[in-house]
Amino acid sequence: MSPSVCLQEMIRVIRGARTQGEERGVIQRECAAIRAQFRQADNGGRSHNLAKLLYVHMLGYPAHFGQMECVRLIASSKYSEKRIGYLGAMMLLDEKQDASLLITNSIKNDLSHSSQHVQSLALCTLACMGSAEMCRDLAPEIERLLKASNSYIKKKAALCAVHIVRKIPELGEMFTPSAHSLLSEKNHGVLHGAVILITELCERNPDNLKQFRKSVPELVQIMKNLVTSGYSPEHNVAGISDPFLQVRILRLLRILGRNNDAASDAMNDLLAQVATNTDSSKTAGSAVLYETVLTIMDIRSESGLRVLAVNILGRFLLNNDRNIRYISMTSLQKIVQTDHTAVQRHRGTIVDCLKDQDASVKRYAPSQRWHIDTILHVLVTAGGDVRDETVPNLIQLITAASELHCYTVHKLYRALISDIVQQSLVQVACWCIGEYGDLLLKGECEEITPMQVTEDDVLDALETVLQSHMSTPTSRGFALTAIMKLSTRITNNVDRIRSVVSIYGSCIDVELQQRAVEYNALFKKYDHMRAAVLERMPVIDRNSSGQTNGDPSVEPMKEFNQPKPVQGVLIQEPANQVCDLLDLLGDSNPPLLVTNDHTSTAPNSTNSTSSNVQDNLLDLLGGLEPTPAPSVTVFEKGGLSLKLQCDQQTETSTTVTFTASNSTQSDITGFNLQAAVPKSVQLQMKAPSGDLIPAQGCGTVTQTVLLSYTNKANLKMRVRLSYSSQGTACQDMVQIDSFPSPAWS
Amino acid sequence: MTCTKIRFILIQNRAGKTRLAKWYMQFDDDEKQKLIEEVHAVVTVRDAKHTNFVEVHSFLLTALACFSLSLFMNFKIIYRRYAGLYFCICVDVTDNNLAYLEGIHNFVEVLNEYFHNVCELDLVFNFYKVYTVVDEMFLAGEIRETSQTKVLKQLLMLQSLE
């Protein structure tokens, strides 16, 4: 169908409509005309009319009366009519419509059509909107096509079969033998379809799993070829051979290797090879690596391979691309349940991600509670191996998380009474109990099932630590101090504390003895100061340790949650980008338009149409560099030129930057700017960058001026320049009446 | 039962006009409209600081008690913005984000080649051709053909039939 003048014209008219009402009127007229034409007998313009109707449908208007026309067009013998008919079927018909059944026969005929293009239309439509009945009827045809000699048809048929299997899983058996044989195809498209089909079959039916496990060696071989083969221009994306196919094969291997040692063994080498050889500098490579990692973690792989996988994820965490950091965080979170020691190594980077702006990244290292939980978990299981700074770091983290004190102390207490082997855990627990013992004794805590703890219980726990031969002197010190602190936080057992403290006054350990003696004195001579001395500690300042804990008090970024009103969002592009049909496909970074999202909605749609025109002419892949704010030359004489640039303009203030440059042969010295403004404007001049402007444009002098005013219309400025050039002193005056607006007002 | 596949592909402009909507799952018309609006709302507030993935666990806040909804409650949107257009693919949560991101870029590059430096107006006036491109590259909710040269060859052949 050649681009119909009628269709294009109609689109133009609709787009030219200035208001919603006008548009509706145009469309109603068109629909009426189209309806009339449908009722007529066969005329040459049928496909054009249906195309117009489909466009109208895309705009959101009802178009159900076109359904029968689709059926009729599909049955036509002309390719152009068939094509539009099938498109219409995919857009207007769905399973729920009765009319869809009527096209089953046409599809059946077209599947055996001589032209592959017609066949492909039929396959496409069936795969898109085929209902269960249609699938059942046509499955044998699809199966036959899977064995066709034309690879173009085969790959479409494979995916059509996938759709059928999804609709009617029982029919999967019909496709199993063909799927198997398709694996030996060379054509990537067919392979791709075959792998997807096998994946679908295996997921639906465990029997198929057993059968297809025999294909693992074949799949491994295909992957090897992909990874090691030379440059293949057709399927190459950023240096990786057909990453899409690789990803799908890896996924299939994952399903086949799950819970099966034999299959997992067969893929071990391959996975290691892919993991080490794939170049991850571009997204395509990272996608393949990511899938590899998921596969390694899911099958029965050997531990060396798992460590490799976690390391890859750790590397991703340091990647510049936010997307990659995000997916590695999500995967690490899942892995941390099972393999946390490996993950521990990357804890520092995870915490750094807390600083990330994107809420979805933050979600996975977001809460202090998660943080504390994780570290506690680590301490409980492998506390002996943590670094020394962990204890003070964790303590500092806990003090900062004030709302979690109750929760933390409960958790730690529980950990303490169950086991006191892990010294770092013991130390942190003792410190917390000493600090927050009152919260522990209150017994209620929202986030954890409450447990009645009496003062005696707490003191027992701490004394156990003191007396246990497993405790190091440091831990004992912690425990003793904690007991002492509790003396101000509990009410009944102060005497018990007093006696404990005095006993240790004669302890062999000098450190403990000193502490005990001092605390004793606190009880006896300085009892009046005891409460003040043992007060709650303030939040500890972060000291620069080797590990930077993310600032725990950072609030999660308030996401800009208001949905933008759909109508008439005005985007003002800089004028010099209208009609800019830049081809920047060479620019591999997908460009992001730097328009300010805080634009207000335009009430009238005229503005939106005109700016939409500007939008639309913008080349999709055109890279849009943010243009710098335009600078205006306000003064030029004898080689000295003064430029003015406005930044940061709000309704009542502007920051103006003057840039002076010199194109003469000799330097200009003693350069000085003076400015005067009307009474309604306030002026603040910042210090200039210097007073010497080097010759021949080798350097400039800049000076920033802050202006604030109530009415922008009154904004004027008179500038006096005084300087020495080539031995003579000069003075010039220039009046500035209008200020350029920045590119993004 | 993981139905790992694409639920729908959308091309929308910033104002919310749909330039292409390809559905691989069964939805009612009003559901489709709601989905389009929701995707637009979610995607247009994001900027360069965000990732290209949006996981939406309870997408539709409306009280549409429809069976089809429960099937896609766990999905995510992979999107990329080119000039004034958002290309969005809705996939299952278990799918590989990066692969589909590459898939979007592949698709846009083909459009660019086919329309010779494509811009939004090309997609508007030739909408039926855009559907042809989609159908060449995606089928039954999966990526079908990834070789740009093959797709372009096929498209040119189809064009000669018109």
Side-chain angles (χ1 to χ4, degrees):
Chain A
M1 184 179 78
S2 58
S4 147
V5 173
C6 306
L7 171 65
Q8 310 285 8
E9 191 54 41
M10 184 193 81
I11 296 179
R12 246 186 285 272
V13 170
I14 292 178
R15 287 170 61 81
R18 281 192 301 269
T19 65
Q20 189 76 346
E22 202 179 317
E23 183 181 290
R24 242 191 312 243
V26 170
I27 289 182
Q28 270 172 349
R29 277 197 302 277
E30 284 292 334
C31 283
I34 295 172
R35 227 192 288 246
Q37 299 218 302
F38 281 170
R39 274 187 241 121
Q40 283 179 6
D42 186 14
N43 58 355
R46 273 164 61 192
S47 49
H48 298 177
N49 287 325
L50 188 57
K52 284 197 274 186
L53 184 61
L54 290 177
Y55 183 77
V56 164
H57 174 75
M58 274 182 70
L59 289 176
Y61 294 90
H64 301 292
F65 59 90
Q67 287 172 357
M68 287 313 295
E69 191 65 12
C70 296
V71 177
R72 256 177 261 136
L73 279 176
I74 290 176
S76 149
S77 54
K78 279 205 289 196
Y79 176 75
S80 56
E81 295 192 341
K82 262 196 207 287
R83 181 245 197 105
I84 281 289
Y86 274 117
L87 179 61
M90 285 194 269
M91 284 175 77
L92 298 177
L93 292 174
D94 53 33
E95 301 181 349
K96 298 206 185 118
Q97 316 284 352
D98 297 324
S100 60
L101 289 173
L102 296 171
I103 62 174
T104 316
N105 214 30
S106 299
I107 296 185
K108 191 170 192 165
N109 291 338
D110 285 336
L111 283 174
S112 338
H113 203 274
S114 49
S115 160
Q116 67 171 13
H117 304 293
V118 174
Q119 280 179 310
S120 96
L121 280 178
L123 280 170
C124 204
T125 310
L126 181 60
C128 178
M129 45 77 72
S131 66
E133 293 83 40
M134 287 167 73
C135 290
R136 215 182 285 273
D137 285 337
L138 298 167
E141 286 295 314
I142 305 295
E143 210 267 325
R144 187 177 56 80
L145 285 172
L146 276 178
K147 304 198 195 91
S149 55
N150 185 337
S151 54
Y152 177 68
I153 293 298
K154 262 198 279 211
K155 56 188 170 196
K156 290 212 172 191
L159 285 174
C160 206
V162 171
H163 177 82
I164 294 179
V165 170
R166 283 185 184 138
K167 280 278 178 229
I168 312 175
E170 301 85 51
L171 289 178
E173 309 169 325
M174 197 186 290
F175 297 112
T176 324
S178 335
H180 209 102
S181 55
L182 282 175
L183 272 184
S184 41
E185 286 282 328
K186 289 275 169 279
N187 183 307
H188 278 226
V190 179
L191 263 181
H192 196 111
V195 170
I196 299 181
L197 179 57
I198 297 177
T199 313
E200 198 64 36
L201 288 169
C202 290
E203 278 177 346
R204 304 272 157 172
N205 190 339
D207 294 329
N208 290 330
L209 264 180
K210 279 195 223 99
Q211 192 178 359
F212 282 109
R213 281 214 183 99
K214 299 185 207 121
S215 313
V216 169
E218 218 173 330
L219 289 165
V220 167
Q221 189 55 42
I222 298 175
M223 270 299 285
K224 275 213 178 89
N225 288 343
L226 280 174
V227 173
T228 56
S229 71
Y231 185 73
S232 142
E234 270 195 350
H235 296 277
N236 184 53
V237 178
I240 313 279
S241 261
D242 208 343
F244 304 101
L245 182 57
Q246 289 194 27
V247 164
R248 290 276 16 170
I249 294 183
L250 284 167
R251 198 194 199 122
L252 177 57
L253 287 175
R254 181 153 88 233
I255 297 173
L256 293 175
R258 210 179 268 159
N259 295 329
N260 184 302
D261 289 321
S264 308
D265 281 333
M267 357 175 152
N268 261 320
D269 288 337
L270 169 73
L271 292 171
Q273 188 179 10
V274 174
T276 42
N277 285 350
T278 311
D279 169 30
S280 65
S281 53
K282 291 284 168 83
T283 318
S286 304
V288 173
L289 277 178
Y290 177 59
E291 198 73 29
T292 316
V293 167
L294 290 179
T295 304
I296 293 176
M297 299 315 288
D298 223 7
I299 63 173
R300 301 249 178 93
S301 49
E302 43 183 47
S303 62
L305 207 51
R306 297 184 102 90
V307 169
L308 185 61
V310 175
N311 283 345
I312 292 179
L313 285 179
R315 238 175 37 230
F316 275 178
L317 276 181
L318 303 167
N319 196 303
N320 283 332
D321 188 349
R322 177 169 286 111
N323 294 326
I324 295 182
R325 287 208 297 274
Y326 170 75
I327 55 170
S328 72
M329 301 274 309
T330 54
S331 324
L332 280 172
Q333 205 204 23
K334 290 187 206 123
I335 297 176
V336 87
Q337 328 286 357
T338 52
D339 226 339
H340 65 81
T341 39
V343 177
Q344 237 255 66
R345 211 173 308 142
H346 306 289
R347 191 160 35 112
T349 5
I350 297 179
V351 167
D352 272 342
C353 286
L354 264 178
K355 301 190 189 122
D356 202 306
Q357 286 302 311
D358 184 7
S360 44
V361 173
K362 278 173 89 78
R363 203 190 307 154
Y364 287 94
S367 68
Q368 301 152 316
R369 178 170 157 175
W370 177 89
H371 197 184
I372 291 177
D373 276 344
T374 315
I375 301 187
L376 284 181
H377 186 64
V378 168
L379 285 179
V380 164
T381 28
D385 303 321
V386 297
R387 289 202 288 245
D388 293 332
E389 308 93 70
T390 313
V391 171
N393 279 345
L394 180 56
I395 289 178
Q396 180 247 313
L397 186 65
I398 292 175
T399 50
S402 50
E403 63 280 7
L404 289 173
H405 286 165
C406 188
Y407 166 75
T408 316
V409 74
H410 269 91
K411 244 189 126 144
L412 282 167
Y413 174 72
R414 265 172 234 206
L416 191 64
I417 53 177
S418 53
D419 176 23
I420 58 169
V421 173
Q422 304 287 16
Q423 292 306 297
S424 27
L425 180 65
V426 163
Q427 288 165 17
V428 177
C430 287
W431 188 91
C432 278
I433 294 176
E435 270 294 295
Y436 310 121
D438 47 342
L439 293 174
L440 182 61
L441 292 168
K442 256 203 300 198
E444 24 165 276
C445 182
E446 324 171 326
E447 296 169 14
I448 207 169
T449 51
M451 188 170 129
Q452 266 316 98
V453 181
T454 65
E455 296 174 4
D456 276 320
D457 292 331
V458 176
L459 288 173
D460 284 338
L462 288 174
E463 276 192 64
T464 320
V465 173
L466 258 183
Q467 292 156 3
S468 159
H469 60 278
M470 290 190 283
S471 307
T472 61
T474 328
S475 310
R476 285 217 180 93
F478 268 90
L480 188 59
T481 312
I483 292 181
M484 188 60 199
K485 281 198 221 165
L486 279 178
S487 70
T488 50
R489 288 156 175 73
I490 62 177
T491 46
N492 295 335
N493 285 343
V494 186
D495 285 335
R496 181 173 166 184
I497 296 180
R498 245 192 270 256
S499 60
V500 168
V501 165
S502 63
I503 290 175
Y504 275 86
S506 42
C507 174
I508 286 186
D509 185 320
V510 177
E511 168 70 31
L512 277 180
Q513 193 188 90
Q514 180 183 0
R515 287 193 193 208
V517 166
E518 285 171 359
Y519 295 152
N520 237 340
L522 201 53
F523 267 121
K524 300 211 164 87
K525 277 202 280 186
Y526 302 102
D527 207 23
H528 53 282
M529 292 205 319
R530 185 160 52 94
V533 170
L534 297 173
E535 226 176 47
R536 203 56 80 84
M537 305 237 335
V539 176
I540 302 172
D541 266 339
R542 214 177 335 154
N543 52 359
S544 52
S545 57
Q547 175 188 24
T548 49
N549 277 325
D551 184 359
S553 50
V554 165
E555 290 156 25
M557 187 182 86
K558 302 182 193 24
E559 257 207 316
F560 195 179
N561 259 326
Q562 302 140 316
K564 284 271 176 286
V566 172
Q567 274 283 19
V569 171
L570 184 64
I571 305 166
Q572 287 168 352
E573 248 91 51
N576 57 356
Q577 282 182 348
V578 171
C579 304
D580 201 359
L581 296 172
L582 299 160
D583 168 33
L584 279 164
L585 194 49
D587 185 66
S588 52
N589 299 320
L592 291 175
L593 189 58
V594 183
T595 48
N596 201 341
D597 276 339
H598 310 312
T599 51
S600 51
T601 59
N604 44 349
S605 45
T606 27
N607 280 348
S608 67
T609 341
S610 62
S611 68
N612 275 344
V613 167
Q614 295 171 10
D615 275 344
N616 295 339
L617 287 178
L618 272 175
D619 178 32
L620 269 189
L621 284 173
L624 300 164
E625 325 291 343
T627 51
S631 73
V632 174
T633 306
V634 294
F635 174 78
E636 182 119 28
K637 179 176 148 194
L640 168 68
S641 71
L642 186 70
K643 286 198 179 62
L644 181 152
Q645 183 176 330
C646 285
D647 304 295
Q648 291 171 281
Q649 195 174 62
T650 71
E651 281 305 305
T652 54
S653 69
T654 307
T655 308
V656 170
T657 309
F658 287 104
T659 311
S661 55
N662 173 11
S663 61
T664 64
Q665 296 293 328
S666 56
D667 299 340
I668 290 182
T669 55
F671 182 77
N672 184 276
L673 260 182
Q674 287 166 309
V677 289
K679 284 218 182 68
S680 57
V681 179
Q682 276 155 335
L683 173 78
Q684 187 188 1
M685 295 192 72
K686 302 278 184 192
S689 64
D691 67 347
L692 180 116
I693 314 179
Q696 295 178 332
C698 292
T700 58
V701 164
T702 53
Q703 185 162 17
T704 312
V705 176
L706 298 171
L707 298 165
S708 49
Y709 42 82
T710 45
N711 187 351
K712 198 166 160 194
N714 289 342
L715 187 60
K716 295 185 212 304
M717 196 195 282
R718 197 173 289 174
V719 177
R720 182 156 72 182
L721 307 102
S722 38
Y723 53 92
S724 275
S725 168
Q726 291 162 345
T728 42
C730 308
Q731 226 182 50
D732 289 298
M733 183 110 77
V734 60
Q735 171 117 353
I736 305 171
D737 289 320
S738 65
F739 287 78
S741 43
W744 48 81
S745 61
Chain B
M1 183 157 37
T2 52
C3 46
T4 60
K5 65 180 201 170
I6 306 175
R7 268 73 162 157
F8 55 81
I9 302 181
L10 281 181
I11 305 180
Q12 298 175 314
N13 70 3
R14 269 195 69 86
K17 282 252 157 66
T18 308
R19 296 303 177 206
L20 177 129
K22 184 81 191 181
W23 306 90
Y24 293 104
M25 260 184 87
Q26 184 65 24
F27 296 115
D28 292 333
D29 279 339
D30 44 350
E31 283 175 349
K32 287 184 188 174
Q33 193 54 36
K34 279 260 157 15
L35 277 171
I36 289 176
E37 284 167 18
E38 293 268 351
V39 169
H40 178 252
V42 165
V43 154
T44 41
V45 295
R46 294 165 73 88
D47 58 14
K49 297 200 296 279
H50 294 92
T51 61
N52 293 67
F53 320 127
V54 183
E55 258 173 63
V56 192
H57 294 295
S58 56
F59 200 37
L60 287 187
L61 313 168
T62 57
L64 277 177
C66 183
F67 178 62
S68 59
L69 280 185
S70 56
L71 282 180
F72 70 77
M73 269 315 181
N74 267 338
F75 64 81
K76 57 193 170 193
I77 310 269
I78 320 261
Y79 75 96
R80 212 171 210 185
R81 183 175 168 185
Y82 292 90
L85 288 179
Y86 290 95
F87 287 73
C88 312
I89 296 191
C90 172
V91 298
D92 191 74
V93 277
T94 55
D95 278 333
N96 186 330
N97 294 355
L98 298 174
Y100 280 107
L101 202 56
E102 278 304 307
I104 293 180
H105 193 66
N106 216 21
F107 175 52
V108 174
E109 285 189 332
V110 168
L111 284 177
N112 197 51
E113 268 304 303
Y114 186 51
F115 288 108
H116 306 299
N117 301 335
V118 66
C119 60
E120 190 177 341
L121 281 185
D122 287 325
L123 303 186
V124 171
F125 279 96
N126 299 298
F127 69 94
Y128 50 93
K129 289 190 186 167
V130 183
Y131 274 99
T132 315
V133 179
V134 172
D135 288 333
E136 278 299 313
M137 301 191 71
F138 300 91
L139 189 62
E142 305 283 354
I143 295 178
R144 185 184 79 76
E145 180 58 72
T146 56
S147 156
Q148 293 181 13
T149 35
K150 287 212 171 100
V151 174
L152 286 164
K153 210 163 70 170
Q154 191 64 31
L155 290 172
L156 291 173
M157 214 188 322
L158 284 173
Q159 197 159 299
S160 63
L161 287 178
E162 295 163 14

